[in-house]
Amino acid sequence: MLYINCPHCGMRSQNEFSYGGDASVKRPQLNKEISDKDWDDFVYNRKSLRGKHLELWQHISGCRQWIKVERDTATHEIFRTFKADEEVA
Amino acid sequence: MQKYSIFNLVKNAFSNHENWDLAWKDPTPKEEYDVVIIGGGGHGLATAYYLAKEHNITKVAIIEKGWIGGGNVGRNTTIIRSNYMHDENGLFSEFGMDLWRRMSQDLNYNVMFSPRGIINLAHSDAQMNAYARRGNSMRLNGIDAVLLNREQVKEIIPMADFSDNVRFPIFGGLMQPSAGTARHDAVAWGYARQADSMGVDIIQNCEVIGFDVSAGKINGIRTSRGNIKAKKVGLCVAGSTNILAEKLNMTLPIETHLLQACVSEPIKPVLDNVVTFGAGHFYVSQSDKGEMVMGGDLDGYNSYAQRGNLPTLQHVLTEGIAMMPFLSKLKMLRTWGGIMDMSMDGSPIIDKTHIEGLYLNCGWCYGGFKATPASGWTFAHTIAQDRVHELNAGYSLNRFSTGHLIDEKGLGTKTWIS
């Protein structure tokens, strides 16, 4: 069982969360010219890192907020969690 | 190579079975090969076998980080089927079914192929309609499909829950009678033994550290046991695809996820077929030893752990108990996990890449085991001829850019969509 420290609600079990994928992926800006390659990278292509991975989770059975989680994909250790709009250094 | 036969078995019995040849050798890497296959799993071993058998290319090495057959070919639920609606998947898998039927003879190795049939259960009228459509598509591609009503399903699997007050009543099902199971380890070992006998070097405990690429062309690989020159390199590394892609500066439409399976304690024969639950993601069959072999959804988040987490197992088995309540009485014997190369549309990739001489085989999602022979056969063709075969033309890498996705069931990386 993973335990995720929701920045809004505190420590909860993974059963309350839903996974949203790589949080480092940025949607291309809408008002600018976008190449097909940029769209492919945004929609489909992923690094899927082994090790520290910044990812989105939604506290679906709690506050329903999207959050960012820094987790190791090889050991499942969770290092830090952030609000969705927090910049991660 | 020593032939495996009843006569050799009797002959060797007189010497206490101490004089059997080794099934495959343990060579040191040579300086150069025509083709290097990275990954000594089912697909890599099959690729090497078909390179030698169909294309007469025997200066081939298989480079394996651990031991052969230690990844997903040793961790799956052994189901073999071709019950797909889309032409790309149906024709590819049905070609594979033909290879499965002949495999024990071809490899002189008993892979215990057991065409016991698979039944996908339907739990609504809408689902029956969808299954009728898929069944018709299958039959148009020459694949056997039978639409069963509730009574017919009850005759085959009376132990399923046919009572009136259930959340997901069984309306019927779609059966592919020629589908089945096989002994998964034997598939890896059979391919390894034959490939080895034709001159392929199987190099274990040898990790790929990097690639030697210049002017858009592959020249070789760097490994923990030294540099190896190669004219062509094929990647067959399933859950490690992204790790090697990073060394090649490639970003792929692949995420690595964790998939679990489990077996119960062995019981007397109760289930003749493979059965899947239609209102979720659960499947079950009974092994020759009597264990109920079960599996279902991904754990749901990126992982390289090769070991599972209990919430998903509980979710999957809850579906199993809803379908066949007697399962709740069984003790769990073993659970395990493997890491899957999940593609974004749920269909695989067998293709050339932008680097000359580098070929890619990945994206097998939930269905890598059954594809082993067809994947090896088409990948060998793609490498040997430097062009894709019509059977894997749809499994292109650029389909994500062109929009030609093969969206069989939408079962890619996002489990919550299905």
Side-chain angles (χ1 to χ4, degrees):
Chain A
M1 180 78 77
L2 301 180
Y3 286 94
I4 300 172
N5 190 9
C6 174
H8 306 280
C9 314
M11 195 67 88
R12 300 295 175 89
S13 88
Q14 75 178 89
N15 290 334
E16 297 187 12
F17 293 85
S18 165
Y19 183 67
D22 190 339
S24 69
V25 177
K26 289 264 186 298
R27 187 188 173 98
Q29 283 188 315
L30 282 177
N31 300 327
K32 289 196 174 153
E33 193 63 34
I34 300 159
S35 72
D36 287 352
K37 174 80 175 55
D38 288 343
W39 267 120
D40 288 349
D41 284 344
F42 168 63
V43 180
Y44 298 118
N45 295 330
R46 296 290 180 270
K47 290 205 173 89
S48 194
L49 301 173
R50 186 180 199 279
K52 268 191 188 175
H53 188 240
L54 190 68
E55 53 204 20
L56 291 167
W57 289 75
Q58 190 185 10
H59 197 182
I60 190 93
S61 303
C63 61
R64 299 189 67 82
Q65 295 291 314
W66 284 91
I67 62 168
K68 289 180 193 164
V69 176
E70 188 184 51
R71 186 180 61 95
D72 192 309
T73 56
T75 64
H76 295 172
E77 182 181 355
I78 292 171
F79 305 102
R80 297 182 292 175
T81 56
F82 308 89
K83 292 176 183 169
D85 56 356
E86 248 178 289
E87 281 302 317
V88 180
Chain B
M1 186 187 59
Q2 214 169 10
K3 194 171 158 52
Y4 289 165
S5 67
I6 182 75
F7 303 108
N8 270 327
L9 187 68
V10 171
K11 197 178 111 194
N12 277 280
F14 291 108
S15 54
N16 290 326
H17 296 290
E18 284 168 357
N19 296 323
W20 286 102
D21 291 347
L22 285 177
W24 52 84
K25 297 178 280 293
D26 184 21
T28 42
K30 295 193 187 84
E31 211 165 276
E32 187 174 359
Y33 291 95
D34 289 340
V35 179
V36 164
I37 304 293
I38 303 172
H43 291 222
L45 294 162
T47 305
Y49 167 74
Y50 290 112
L51 275 172
K53 181 172 174 248
E54 304 285 338
H55 305 280
N56 225 358
I57 300 174
T58 54
K59 223 179 146 193
V60 176
I62 293 169
I63 306 293
E64 167 57 47
K65 181 171 67 176
W67 63 95
I68 58 165
N72 296 339
V73 75
R75 296 162 186 263
N76 58 78
T77 47
T78 79
I79 297 164
I80 294 160
R81 60 190 176 83
S82 59
N83 54 355
Y84 287 103
M85 187 173 84
H86 287 300
D87 290 350
E88 293 90 343
N89 291 332
L91 295 171
F92 178 89
S93 303
E94 187 57 17
F95 177 79
M97 292 302 293
D98 202 41
L99 294 175
W100 278 112
R101 286 176 204 120
R102 293 186 277 123
M103 189 179 287
S104 290
Q105 282 72 35
D106 284 352
L107 299 181
N108 178 227
Y109 207 107
N110 185 6
V111 300
M112 298 165 71
F113 176 55
S114 163
R116 57 183 67 185
I118 185 168
I119 301 169
N120 301 137
L121 294 180
H123 307 277
S124 67
D125 282 328
Q127 203 166 18
M128 282 298 282
N129 289 342
Y131 281 0
R133 181 182 178 220
R134 177 151 62 93
N136 285 334
S137 299
M138 286 165 63
R139 293 172 73 131
L140 285 172
N141 281 332
I143 304 163
D144 55 328
V146 185
L147 194 65
L148 306 171
N149 62 28
R150 181 179 161 92
E151 291 311 311
Q152 289 167 313
V153 172
K154 195 172 180 178
E155 217 158 273
I156 300 172
I157 47 165
M159 77 297 277
D161 195 344
F162 286 93
S163 53
D164 294 329
N165 285 322
V166 289
R167 173 66 184 82
F168 299 109
I170 295 169
F171 276 56
L174 182 65
M175 183 173 191
Q176 185 193 3
S178 69
T181 61
R183 174 85 183 103
H184 55 130
D185 292 322
V187 176
W189 298 335
Y191 274 124
R193 176 167 161 268
Q194 284 293 342
D196 176 86
S197 78
M198 288 188 282
V200 172
D201 279 359
I202 298 171
I203 299 161
Q204 304 182 75
N205 299 310
C206 180
E207 185 173 359
V208 173
I209 300 164
F211 296 86
D212 181 10
V213 181
S214 62
K217 191 178 179 314
I218 193 113
N219 301 313
I221 58 170
R222 295 194 293 278
T223 77
S224 56
R225 293 172 67 177
N227 294 351
I228 299 171
K229 283 187 216 145
K231 295 187 186 82
K232 295 176 176 180
V233 174
L235 292 189
C236 266
V237 294
S240 300
T241 301
N242 286 299
I243 297 173
L244 290 187
E246 197 190 355
K247 297 182 199 297
L248 288 156
N249 289 322
M250 290 168 77
T251 320
L252 297 172
I254 301 281
E255 260 180 26
T256 301
H257 280 254
L258 182 60
L259 182 62
Q260 297 192 70
C262 59
V263 293
S264 75
E265 59 187 322
I267 53 173
K268 286 185 177 177
V270 58
L271 181 62
D272 299 330
N273 319 90
V274 182
V275 181
T276 73
F277 185 53
H281 196 175
F282 172 84
Y283 47 87
V284 61
S285 63
Q286 189 170 20
S287 76
D288 295 327
K289 286 180 281 185
E291 303 149 332
M292 306 304 286
V293 185
M294 299 169 279
D297 265 327
L298 296 176
D299 272 27
Y301 41 82
N302 291 34
S303 175
Y304 287 90
Q306 286 192 309
R307 63 177 185 277
N309 211 337
L310 280 176
T312 302
L313 207 55
Q314 184 179 28
H315 170 75
V316 166
L317 292 174
T318 305
E319 296 173 38
I321 290 164
M323 183 175 94
M324 291 182 179
F326 83 96
L327 293 174
S328 70
K329 308 286 182 199
L330 301 182
K331 291 189 182 73
M332 185 83 75
L333 195 64
R334 288 193 309 278
T335 80
W336 64 93
I339 51 173
M340 307 295 124
D341 36 336
M342 302 303 293
S343 70
M344 293 295 161
D345 63 354
S347 297
I349 296 163
I350 307 176
D351 203 0
K352 300 162 66 170
T353 64
H354 70 283
I355 299 169
E356 196 187 327
L358 183 78
Y359 304 86
L360 188 61
N361 180 329
C362 63
W364 290 100
C365 300
Y366 299 91
F369 176 69
K370 66 161 189 299
T372 304
S375 163
W377 196 94
T378 53
F379 198 40
H381 181 280
T382 306
I383 294 171
Q385 313 273 336
D386 194 38
R387 63 187 164 85
V388 295
H389 188 269
E390 62 179 14
L391 282 169
N392 64 315
Y395 293 160
S396 65
L397 179 56
N398 74 355
R399 70 174 184 270
F400 299 91
S401 307
T402 61
H404 294 87
L405 302 187
I406 308 170
D407 186 14
E408 184 76 35
K409 219 179 160 187
L411 280 176
T413 59
K414 308 279 193 293
T415 51
W416 41 267
I417 287 176
S418 61

